[in-house]
Amino acid sequence: MIREYDKCDIECVLEIWLNASVKAHHFVPSSFWLSQVNNMRKLYLPASEVYVLEIDSSVVGFYALYEDKLAAIFVSPEKQGIGIGKQLISHAKSKRRSLTLNVYKKSGELSILPFTRF
């Protein structure tokens, strides 16, 4: 079930974000991600429209919208590969007429990918 984020979800969301960031960005030192936890907690999540996906009452993924940008989408590493990300993206696309997503490449270069609602 996908639902709106609640403040009581913060620790689960931060854990998913940190673990998935370290796994996906192995070319970035994990110390960088650890240094950003407080910013996620106090700046980025509160400024965004956040939705979580629960399985058996446990948060296993989330996404954040900021204006027309998919600012974040993360799935617990243990639950990756079973369609949770697709569900989150589909839900995000239903919330906006169009979306963009910023993606960092290994080189540190930023790419902007458009998502269009069909």
Side-chain angles (χ1 to χ4, degrees), residues 66-82:
Y66 182 77
E67 297 173 350
D68 287 339
K69 186 179 295 180
L70 183 58
I73 181 166
F74 291 92
V75 175
S76 176
E78 301 81 34
K79 297 293 185 181
Q80 291 177 2
I82 61 171

Side-chain angles (χ1 to χ4, degrees), residues 18-101:
L18 181 60
N19 292 338
S21 293
V22 169
K23 180 181 178 186
H25 303 99
H26 56 85
F27 47 89
V28 176
S30 58
S31 59
F32 169 77
W33 301 112
L34 286 166
S35 76
Q36 295 303 306
V37 170
N38 201 42
N39 287 336
M40 282 295 289
R41 180 189 307 275
K42 301 207 178 209
L43 298 174
Y44 303 125
L45 290 173
S48 301
E49 183 179 338
V50 181
Y51 294 86
V52 298
L53 189 146
E54 283 185 332
I55 297 176
D56 297 329
S57 300
S58 294
V59 174
V60 296
F62 75 96
Y63 74 88
L65 298 173
Y66 182 77
E67 297 173 350
D68 287 339
K69 186 179 295 180
L70 183 58
I73 181 166
F74 291 92
V75 175
S76 176
E78 301 81 34
K79 297 293 185 181
Q80 291 177 2
I82 61 171
I84 291 169
K86 288 180 184 179
Q87 289 179 58
L88 291 169
I89 287 173
S90 179
H91 192 269
K93 288 168 68 174
S94 76
K95 295 293 182 184
R96 297 291 189 276
R97 191 167 188 86
S98 65
L99 286 172
T100 58
L101 170 67

